[in-house]
Each structure stands twice: as structure tokens, then as C-alpha cells.
Amino acid sequence: MTPVPDGALNFRQTLPGLYRSGNLSRLSGQGRSGVLALGVARILDLRTRAERGQDPPPFLGHPVYLNLPLLPYRSRALNEATAAATCNADIGVALLEHGANGMVTVLGALLDAPEGPLLIHCHAGKDRTGLVAALCGELAGLSREQIGADYAASGLALTQFYADQQARRTPEEWTRLLPFVPCAPEAVLRPLAYLDQTWGSPAAYLDAYGFSLAEQRQLAQRLATA
């Protein structure tokens, strides 16, 4: 089992060639060295620039670091869909429906990275990271049960994180956030089912938005390599 770098939030290895994490701003100096010791070829930060400002990325300027926000800026359709969301699964579907070009850009950046394992992260490492990890798992041949279990593993890892979040918020703010705290497998399995129902499969969806079937096979092969 890969040791968790000191200070890492919600860190684990999803596939032989793919690590996932929450934001890396909590890493100690030893933890930063531990991440680099994994030999990662790409650290892909899915957060917005505003989020980066709140929790600065410790690897900014390092050749392995790349920031590709998964949330499109000022996308009216996505903003309306996420505002209407009542759970994480709703947000996952909204991201796939209204942020497909960004999703394909992220997967392309993983495929195009130099040789070596990959690390993806957002803020908590749960939903945006979870959706990208779910698509990677789908391409790599994981079962839906395995994909759901990987998402659910964030629950225990984020116990203290959400306790801290609750302490910083008013009761009204926490009440609004509470429906999005659970880490049920449904949060990634329903977005994948949406792709099945709407496109026939996640592979067909990605192909339609420009990430070809050949590229999907290449990424799957890469993810299967430690």
C-alpha cells in the first residue's frame, strides 16, 4: 500500500497509474517530498483560481503541476443546474451535461502527460476528483461497484474536514451544505448511468466530445501501469 504523504487530505491510489487527493496545501515539507517521491509525472489541480487563492498550491511553478479548472467560468446552464441540485449526484450529472469540453480537456491532459503516475485533486478530493476518477476507472475496466466504493472511501477520510467546515459556518450555511456532505456511491454511479442512458456509454460520450476511442484505450493502458 502506498504511504500517505504527511498532511495529505483524502489521499489514495485508485488505479496503478492514478492517485487522487484533496487539495495539497496541507502537506508538510516531508509530505511534499513524499508526493514527488511517488514519481508523479503530472499533478492536475481541478480547482478554480479563486480556490487556489484560498489554499495556494504548493507545487505551483513545478514542471509536474498543471491547473485545469473543471468548473467552467460563468456557464449559465451549469450555474442554473448546480443551483437546482439537491445532492452530489445532481451536480455530477450537471458537470457531465454542461462541462463536457472541460472533462475531455482534463482526460487529454492526463493522457498527454510525461511518462509516470498521475495525481488528480480538487478541494476536498471528493466530487470533481471523484467524477474524473470514475471516468478513469470506467475506461480502465473497473466495475461500477469498484468505482462506487472508491468514491465512498472519501467519507471516512473527510470526517475531520467536514467537522472543521461545520465549525466555520453558521447553522443556516451548514444546513444548506449538509445534503452534499455524504459520500454515497450513488453520487458517481448515477452520473455514469446518465451517460449510459443519454449516450449509450461513457465511452460514446467522450468520443462525441473529441476524446477518441483510440485515445481512451491509450489512457486505459496508461492508468493500468504503475
Side-chain angles (χ1 to χ4, degrees):
M1 180 179 294
T2 302
V4 176
D6 185 54
L9 172 68
N10 195 18
F11 179 93
R12 59 187 174 277
Q13 187 173 14
T14 293
L15 292 161
L18 183 68
Y19 298 95
R20 58 178 292 176
S21 179
N23 83 82
L24 302 176
S25 65
R26 301 167 181 235
L27 290 174
S28 66
Q30 180 182 358
R32 292 193 291 273
S33 297
V35 168
L36 295 178
L38 298 172
V40 291
R42 176 69 71 232
I43 297 173
L44 190 53
D45 184 349
L46 304 173
R47 299 177 301 157
T48 65
R49 297 189 69 83
E51 289 174 301
R52 284 188 4 170
Q54 295 169 359
D55 292 293
F59 295 103
L60 183 64
H62 194 286
V64 301
Y65 176 80
L66 179 64
N67 179 213
L68 287 176
L70 194 56
L71 294 173
Y73 182 62
R74 296 181 67 83
S75 169
R76 180 174 180 178
L78 179 60
N79 289 345
E80 291 177 348
T82 54
T86 61
C87 63
N88 291 321
D90 290 344
I91 292 179
V93 171
L95 271 171
L96 292 175
E97 184 175 4
H98 303 295
N101 291 320
M103 191 67 68
V104 164
T105 298
V106 165
L107 294 179
L110 295 177
L111 176 60
D112 293 344
E115 183 177 353
L118 309 162
L119 169 61
I120 55 175
H121 77 86
C122 54
H123 184 59
K126 180 166 73 80
D127 293 302
R128 284 166 288 181
T129 297
L131 195 56
V132 173
L135 288 172
C136 287
E138 182 83 11
L139 295 181
L142 294 185
S143 68
R144 294 285 170 94
E145 182 179 5
Q146 289 172 310
I147 291 170
D150 180 57
Y151 178 87
S154 289
L156 183 60
L158 292 173
T159 300
Q160 186 59 50
F161 172 84
Y162 279 120
D164 293 342
Q165 294 295 308
Q166 182 176 7
R168 296 173 186 170
R169 285 170 164 77
T170 66
E172 294 77 14
E173 290 171 336
W174 181 246
T175 297
R176 288 194 295 271
L177 179 62
L178 195 56
F180 303 97
V181 170
C183 295
E186 167 75 3
V188 288
L189 296 184
R190 183 151 67 83
L192 292 178
Y194 159 79
L195 295 183
D196 292 338
Q197 295 160 6
T198 307
W199 292 92
S201 68
Y205 162 82
L206 294 173
D207 184 51
Y209 279 97
F211 195 61
S212 71
L213 297 177
E215 289 174 314
Q216 293 175 44
R217 289 191 291 269
Q218 291 167 12
L219 180 57
Q221 183 176 10
R222 173 169 191 156
L223 296 169
T225 304

